[in-house]
Amino acid sequence: MTQVVQYSRRGAVGVILVENPPVNALSQAVRQGLLDALRQGLEDDGARALVLAGGGRTFIAGADIAEFGRPLAAPDLNDVIAAFEDAAKPVVAAIHGTALGGGLEVALGCHYRVAVAKAMVGLPEVKLGILPGAGGTQRLPRLVGAHVALTMITSGEFVPAPKAHELGILDAIVEGDPVDGAVRFAEALDPAGPHPRVRDRAERIAADRGSAVFDEKRRALEKTARGLFAPQRCVDAVQAAAELPFEEGLKRERELFGQCMAHPQSKALIHVFFAERAIGKIPDVPADTPARPVATAAVLGAGTMGGGIAMNFANAGIPVTLLETSQEALDRGLATIARNYAGTVAKGRLTQAEMERRLSLITPTLDMAALAEADMVVEAVFEDMAVKQDVFRRLDAVAKPGAVLATNTSTLDIDAIAAVTSRPADVIGMHFFSPANVMKLLEVVRGSATAKDVIATAMQTGRKIGKVSVLVGNCDGFVGNRMLMPYSRQAELLVEEGAWPEQVDKALQDWGMAMGPFAMGDLAGVDVTWRIRQRRLAEGKAAGSPLTDRLYLMERYGQKTGAGWYRYEAGSRTPLPDDAVKRMIENHRETHQIRPRAISDEEIVKRMIYALVNEGAKALEEGMALRASDIDVIYLYGYGFPAWRGGPMHYADSVGLPAVLADIRAFQQHSGAEWTPAPLLERLAAEGGSFAAHDRRR
Ligand code: 3HC
Ligand code: NAI
């Protein structure tokens, strides 16, 4: 027998234990091992019933995702499940941790399912752009009906064991050790059978035949899962459970599963699954690097960012001191925090008591000395080097030895900030995104002197406060905003050449971006963009288009002034095209003798997205991002890039790098130096490579 699945006996019950760390994924060896162990259990005359359990931290977390994309080696998971379902002895699944995807499907093939109360079950395949392909779409609806099955399968959400018990997915909740509980449950079963098979439970799903629930779900998904392929196929599969005999339903599920697997969206979403897990792997800061304890924190500045950052700490139960320069600014910041929490309470997502507990963790102060005991300080004062250096000098004088001193700067040089302290090794960038209490992305910016344990601490604390932490290098704009510069520049050039802002935004939104660049500019503030442009111009760097200056002079600062690239009606965030902006653009074109031309959506998308790819490749080659897949994660979590396109770098791989490069060269002929192809892109395209292959080589 293979080692990853073991058979043993507890009294009169045979126990089949999967031992394939870390999550007991159903690799080929596990599938074969399950069949072998089942045979052993059935042949064991001393065993009157069997228990199937997972060793280590969990039951079975599903198919082995790393095997996807390769021809599947026998035995097929469906055959394994059928063997359990048809077993002559009763089989009880003993669930702890998670029973997910193929793991839950195996459990649904068992005759009974018991779980500890803390366990979770779910069919999360849809998040990978696929659907349950081992009978999940056929068996689950037979237990819970089409409505609940559709919700679970199209959302992929995990269901806690007590709820799963209530729904009829589990037969019992057991106390203590799951295997002991399952053995007790199995001892009470009649070995003679017949043993209940989920596939035979026709009555519940029969009631859903011809129901409107399927079309209703399809319509709802057109809004909530816009552009996604798999959710609609999930509905097709569950409908097949209601309308076809079991074996035919299974066949239909296989077909739909194959369609999803062949679709580019599943490749993108599976890439995202591994990309999200790769971000924590830093070659010179291994996972066992001891992090400094962060039991208390402090935030400097209670403005737009500081308030949200303080909330992040309080939400994670970490007491945080909030420093301002005046009582008025402090009161304003605290009032905003209280209003944000109250909004969450009003939506029913937080209790009043929890809100009060969190608020009580935030201690306001005007005295820098109150920061002396903080383990981590995050500075979020004005974006001005002189102000920041002054703050860090004073912080250096009061902070305790070993405190992590972080700056939330979005554009300034971390090393120049660290240099004014006596401890540059303790200084790091923690670049949150606005609104800081909502946005998941955190760029952790490594300075040239930053100590490894400070990096480990910032990455870990970021995760603890609910962020997706990605390590980046110290360059202008770091990674995300650096790539945004040529992207925004293309948006403005497209408008100069003949497109309107709303056309550019719509083309990108239709392509999948959560927001177009002009609507985003209005949200971030035209004045903010203008200020960055002025600084870059002063530094002799590429700095976007004078259209921004015109808008700034018109005092159209974006949503906050009710007008920017768009106009906004009072109390509304809906961008409305504005003739005043059109006139301004036309005037600009006339002044610069630009004859407007019709620009296709295809050109818009290519120029915008390839601007990201080209700059991303430069940042990657310079070592500002560790992996192309890290850049993808940054764009998914910080900039509303559609996950089903995998991120800009994966998208370029999916188009093919030679084709991307050919377009970039064509743009270069048209507009010159700003489209100089990234040398890495040229190299990878020439050798038939990809960003993914480049990541694997590192
Ligand atoms: N296959 C292969 N590797 C997997 C895996 C899977 N199904 N699930 C997790 N892993 C790996 C991760 O890549 C990670 O590897 P690393 O340490 O080398 O980075 C390791 O296991 C630990 O994973 P996490 O860091 O995610 O651990 P957590 O404890 O945070 O979460 C989990 C555990 C909830 C199980 C989470 O890993 C998860 O959601 N996994 C995916 C579950 C899933 O999608 N299952 C369905 C698969 S598709 C399927 O079953 C098809 C079937 O219908 C035919
Ligand atoms: P803000 O202007 O809203 O808030 C800054 C606050 O700092 C003000 O309340 C001010 O009174 C306070 N302050 C100034 N000097 C201080 C000092 N010496 N001690 C204590 N408090 C002081 O600015 P915002 O937008 O919150 O930006 C803060 C930082 O975050 C900047 O570095 C900015 O670049 C960065 N950032 C901003 C983002 C945004 O979208 N607004 C996004 C990511 C980073």
Side-chain angles (χ1 to χ4, degrees):
M1 196 205 287
T2 43
Q3 280 177 332
V4 288
V5 184
Q6 287 152 20
Y7 178 77
S8 63
R9 193 128 62 67
R10 297 246 194 127
V13 176
V15 176
I16 297 169
L17 191 69
V18 183
E19 292 271 20
N20 184 27
V23 296
N24 295 326
L26 292 156
S27 63
Q28 189 278 336
V30 172
R31 297 195 298 275
Q32 185 59 52
L34 282 170
L35 280 184
D36 294 343
L38 177 66
R39 192 174 322 113
Q40 205 180 345
L42 293 175
E43 285 169 1
D44 180 358
D45 291 339
R48 61 201 300 266
L50 301 174
V51 161
L52 169 64
R57 66 198 224 204
T58 186
F59 183 69
I60 299 171
D64 186 343
I65 302 170
E67 283 183 356
F68 289 177
R70 291 185 240 150
L72 217 58
D76 187 298
L77 185 56
N78 277 288
D79 297 335
V80 176
I81 293 173
F84 275 78
E85 195 167 48
D86 292 337
K89 293 180 185 178
V91 187
V92 181
I95 299 171
H96 76 298
T98 47
L100 300 177
L104 179 57
E105 291 175 301
V106 169
L108 292 172
C110 295
H111 305 117
Y112 302 94
R113 288 153 294 284
V114 304
V116 294
K118 276 199 176 146
M120 307 268 244
V121 305
L123 293 172
E125 286 87 344
V126 73
K127 294 185 178 170
L128 301 171
I130 55 174
L131 50 80
T137 65
Q138 304 305 297
R139 289 190 181 86
L140 186 66
R142 282 175 161 74
L143 281 182
V144 301
H147 180 73
V148 173
L150 282 170
T151 305
M152 279 180 67
I153 295 172
T154 60
S155 74
E157 297 304 335
F158 301 172
V159 178
K163 176 77 182 164
H165 184 215
E166 216 175 275
L167 289 168
I169 300 170
L170 301 175
D171 297 288
I173 300 290
V174 294
E175 304 270 324
D177 180 72
V179 179
D180 289 348
V183 166
R184 279 196 303 278
F185 186 94
E187 279 166 348
L189 297 170
D190 178 359
H195 313 307
R197 303 190 307 176
V198 174
R199 61 182 287 165
D200 300 328
R201 299 267 296 267
E203 59 304 336
R204 182 117 199 211
I205 191 68
D208 289 315
R209 200 163 299 147
S211 156
V213 72
F214 302 105
D215 282 339
E216 281 166 13
K217 193 72 193 179
R218 285 192 182 92
R219 275 197 301 277
L221 289 168
E222 274 163 25
K223 294 203 187 88
T224 56
R226 187 173 65 99
L228 290 176
F229 182 74
Q232 298 285 354
R233 306 292 87 69
C234 292
V235 181
D236 297 347
V238 177
Q239 188 163 15
E243 288 169 4
L244 300 175
F246 183 76
E247 286 298 339
E248 280 180 46
L250 269 190
K251 240 173 86 188
R252 181 79 183 119
E253 182 193 83
R254 290 303 300 167
E255 279 166 25
L256 293 162
F257 181 79
Q259 287 176 20
C260 290
M261 269 294 188
H263 199 280
Q265 288 184 2
S266 68
K267 292 183 183 64
L269 290 165
I270 289 165
H271 164 77
V272 171
F273 177 85
F274 287 115
E276 284 171 348
R277 282 156 183 83
I279 49 177
K281 295 176 182 133
I282 305 166
D284 68 333
V285 186
D288 57 3
T289 307
R292 300 183 187 178
V294 177
T296 58
V299 174
L300 279 93
T304 311
M305 295 303 288
I309 298 169
M311 286 173 77
N312 289 325
F313 284 109
N315 294 348
I318 301 172
V320 53
T321 307
L322 185 58
L323 176 79
E324 258 295 347
T325 46
S326 72
Q327 190 60 46
E328 196 196 343
L330 199 49
D331 291 345
R332 203 171 39 237
L334 287 170
T336 306
I337 292 173
R339 206 169 43 245
N340 279 336
Y341 276 133
T344 316
V345 172
K347 286 185 200 135
R349 289 202 239 117
L350 191 71
T351 63
Q352 182 77 21
E354 181 58 18
M355 169 176 103
E356 278 158 22
R357 197 183 69 82
R358 293 182 189 186
L359 280 170
S360 74
L361 288 172
I362 303 175
T363 309
T365 185
L366 295 172
D367 180 6
M368 181 76 97
L371 274 45
E373 287 312 308
D375 296 317
M376 172 178 275
V377 183
V378 183
E379 166 277 313
V381 306
F382 299 133
E383 186 72 343
D384 180 305
M385 182 57 89
V387 175
K388 297 228 191 250
Q389 286 181 330
D390 172 56
V391 163
F392 269 78
R393 255 184 225 109
R394 289 190 291 126
L395 191 56
D396 188 26
V398 299
K400 69 178 185 187
V404 172
L405 307 183
T407 169
N408 181 47
T409 178
S410 36
T411 53
L412 302 176
D413 178 7
I414 309 289
D415 291 340
I417 296 172
V420 302
T421 72
S422 62
R423 38 178 142 175
D426 293 347
V427 177
I428 192 162
M430 287 177 78
H431 183 216
F432 291 82
F433 287 69
S434 180
N437 53 319
V438 176
M439 293 295 288
K440 298 277 282 181
L441 180 64
L442 174 68
E443 283 184 327
V444 172
V445 192
R446 174 181 202 156
S448 58
T450 310
K452 291 179 184 177
D453 64 338
V454 170
I455 295 173
T457 309
M459 294 290 288
Q460 198 186 81
T461 307
R463 284 193 292 274
K464 209 179 275 173
I465 62 176
K467 301 297 163 188
V468 173
S469 316
V470 186
L471 186 67
V472 297
N474 179 25
C475 60
D476 197 354
F478 311 129
V479 171
N481 285 346
R482 165 180 171 160
M483 288 165 62
L484 202 64
M485 284 181 227
Y487 173 86
S488 307
R489 164 103 180 115
Q490 284 308 308
E492 290 168 353
L493 281 178
L494 283 160
V495 165
E496 288 188 356
E497 290 169 35
W500 297 119
E502 57 271 27
Q503 185 200 352
V504 174
D505 279 0
K506 182 169 184 310
L508 283 154
Q509 261 190 308
D510 288 349
W511 187 80
M513 296 296 289
M515 236 185 194
F518 293 104
M520 195 164 85
D522 275 358
L523 185 64
V526 173
D527 53 331
V528 175
T529 317
W530 179 83
R531 234 169 258 123
I532 294 172
R533 174 173 152 75
Q534 298 312 308
R535 177 182 61 77
R536 289 183 63 90
L537 282 175
E539 290 170 4
K541 293 179 181 167
S545 136
L547 284 175
T548 301
D549 302 341
R550 286 178 175 249
L551 216 53
Y552 181 80
L553 288 175
M554 291 161 83
E555 296 184 7
R556 298 180 69 111
Y557 298 160
Q559 276 192 24
K560 59 188 158 194
T561 54
W565 292 101
Y566 296 95
R567 66 184 177 84
Y568 299 85
E569 283 176 353
S572 162
R573 290 172 173 272
T574 309
L576 302 167
D578 192 341
D579 284 342
V581 173
K582 287 202 173 148
R583 280 196 299 278
M584 178 276 281
I585 292 168
E586 278 166 347
N587 185 281
H588 174 82
R589 288 176 188 153
E590 278 160 25
T591 312
H592 293 271
Q593 290 165 350
I594 301 168
R595 187 130 48 95
R597 64 183 173 91
I599 298 182
S600 70
D601 288 359
E602 192 196 350
E603 179 180 341
I604 292 174
V605 169
K606 273 191 180 170
R607 281 174 55 179
M608 301 288 294
I609 303 299
Y610 292 175
L612 290 179
V613 173
N614 202 36
E615 194 62 33
K618 290 178 190 169
L620 184 61
E621 186 156 34
E622 288 169 24
M624 295 301 153
L626 279 171
R627 284 163 286 257
S629 67
D630 284 11
I631 297 177
D632 287 336
V633 173
I634 288 173
Y635 263 75
L636 301 181
Y637 284 98
Y639 298 87
F641 200 98
W644 51 272
R645 293 205 188 262
M649 310 312 273
H650 174 86
Y651 177 70
D653 277 353
S654 74
V655 171
L657 298 189
V660 173
L661 181 62
D663 279 326
I664 288 181
R665 287 205 173 119
F667 300 147
Q668 187 186 16
Q669 281 201 331
H670 176 249
S671 23
E674 65 193 296
W675 275 111
T676 305
L680 176 65
L681 176 61
E682 286 185 313
R683 225 170 37 246
L684 291 176
E687 67 189 35
S690 63
F691 291 118
H694 179 71
D695 279 357
R696 281 195 294 275
R697 276 207 300 268
R698 311 194 72 197

